[in-house]
Amino acid sequence: ATKLSFKALRVETSVVEGMEATLRAILAVGEASFEAVEIPGQDAGSRMAGLPPDTTTLLGVAADDLAEALVARSVAGVRVPNAPAAAAQARDALLKGIYARLFDRVVSLVNSALGDRSKSDAFVPRFAARDDRLFVGLLDIFGFECFQRNSLEQLLINYANERLQRHFNLVVFETEARLYRDEGVPVAETTFLDNAPVVEALEDGVLRLLDEECELRKGADGTYVAKLDRLK
């Protein structure tokens, strides 16, 4: 069904095959494991294992380069080995990034088929002229959720919603009221919940400290949480 859909969109066969290869690579790399190794004079490192031999070919990278990108990181220009758990986290982050790029490519293909060529590239079919009527817009600012266990992804989703809510407040309540007053139009005072402090706490606190902790050679969950506690 997926191939038939791409065919209906007139997507070139080579592009579809490339996306299929990327998906196979994502699944294969996701099964890779990491073994602990001792590195004299350094922290414990890791070695990647269980990767099918043709996987890196699907990604278009050398096997050694992929392994090095996962089992080590660069801190201030210094190579720092990753323990098996950290290497696995790097693997997962890489695969999520690749999948996100692949999803964006599919969206670009669909947009091109609908007539929007403004964001297309050389791999996107250009058979349709732009038609401004063929546009679908969706804005959902009511996606705030809190689970028993919240991941980084959920934090970023809520952060994006807070930014959208802040923009909504600014445009609808503050900017419009100021415009009315400047033009001498009577406008009643509107009471609303200002979430500017929440956005500031996330940007200048939670996310800034997270970036700093990730840059540290000995960065850890415990020290990060301790820094967050001091923000209170």
Side-chain angles (χ1 to χ4, degrees):
T2 302
K3 287 186 176 181
L4 290 176
S5 298
F6 282 127
K7 185 176 181 179
L9 294 175
R10 303 184 191 179
V11 179
E12 295 180 6
T13 302
S14 59
V15 176
V16 177
E17 291 175 347
M19 290 191 291
E20 290 179 340
T22 302
L23 283 175
R24 291 201 302 272
I26 290 174
L27 294 174
V29 175
E31 294 298 322
S33 59
F34 298 92
E35 303 170 349
V37 296
E38 294 294 331
I39 303 178
Q42 297 189 52
D43 297 332
S46 59
R47 178 177 60 245
M48 185 167 66
L51 190 68
D54 63 336
T55 301
T56 54
T57 303
L58 296 175
L59 288 175
V61 298
D64 291 343
D65 291 341
L66 176 62
E68 176 63 17
L70 300 179
V71 301
R73 65 190 187 279
S74 178
V75 179
V78 179
R79 182 186 186 276
V80 178
N82 286 332
Q89 291 175 353
R91 173 203 61 200
D92 294 345
L94 172 65
L95 297 182
K96 289 178 182 179
I98 295 174
Y99 189 84
R101 294 290 184 88
L102 184 62
F103 182 84
D104 290 342
R105 169 57 61 84
V106 173
V107 172
S108 180
L109 292 168
V110 174
N111 286 342
S112 180
L114 291 175
D116 182 3
R117 293 166 51 187
S118 62
K119 298 180 181 178
S120 61
D121 54 33
F123 297 98
V124 176
R126 301 174 178 270
F127 61 87
R130 179 181 175 86
D131 187 340
D132 291 334
R133 296 172 303 172
L134 301 177
F135 173 80
V136 177
L138 177 64
L139 174 61
D140 175 17
I141 62 174
F142 300 105
F144 303 94
E145 294 178 314
C146 181
F147 302 106
Q148 186 173 1
R149 181 179 179 85
N150 294 280
S151 63
L152 174 63
E153 290 85 352
Q154 190 58 49
L155 170 65
L156 296 179
I157 289 172
N158 286 351
Y159 166 59
N161 285 324
E162 291 286 0
R163 286 296 302 270
L164 287 172
Q165 183 67 55
R166 174 58 186 154
H167 179 73
F168 178 84
N169 292 344
L170 183 64
V171 172
V172 174
F173 297 117
E174 299 179 22
T175 304
E176 285 298 315
R178 187 181 308 114
L179 178 62
Y180 279 27
R181 287 193 294 269
D182 291 345
E183 295 183 355
V185 177
V187 55
E189 191 68 28
T190 303
T191 301
F192 64 94
L193 181 61
D194 187 3
N195 71 330
V198 175
V199 174
E200 182 180 357
L202 287 171
E203 293 180 342
D204 194 46
V206 176
L207 298 179
R208 178 180 59 81
L209 291 176
L210 179 60
D211 286 338
E212 292 178 358
E213 194 67 25
C214 290
E215 292 292 331
L216 299 177
R217 181 170 182 173
K218 294 290 187 177
D221 294 344
T223 54
Y224 174 59
V225 172
K227 292 176 182 178
L228 291 178
D229 287 338
R230 289 197 291 271
L231 287 178
K232 299 177 182 179

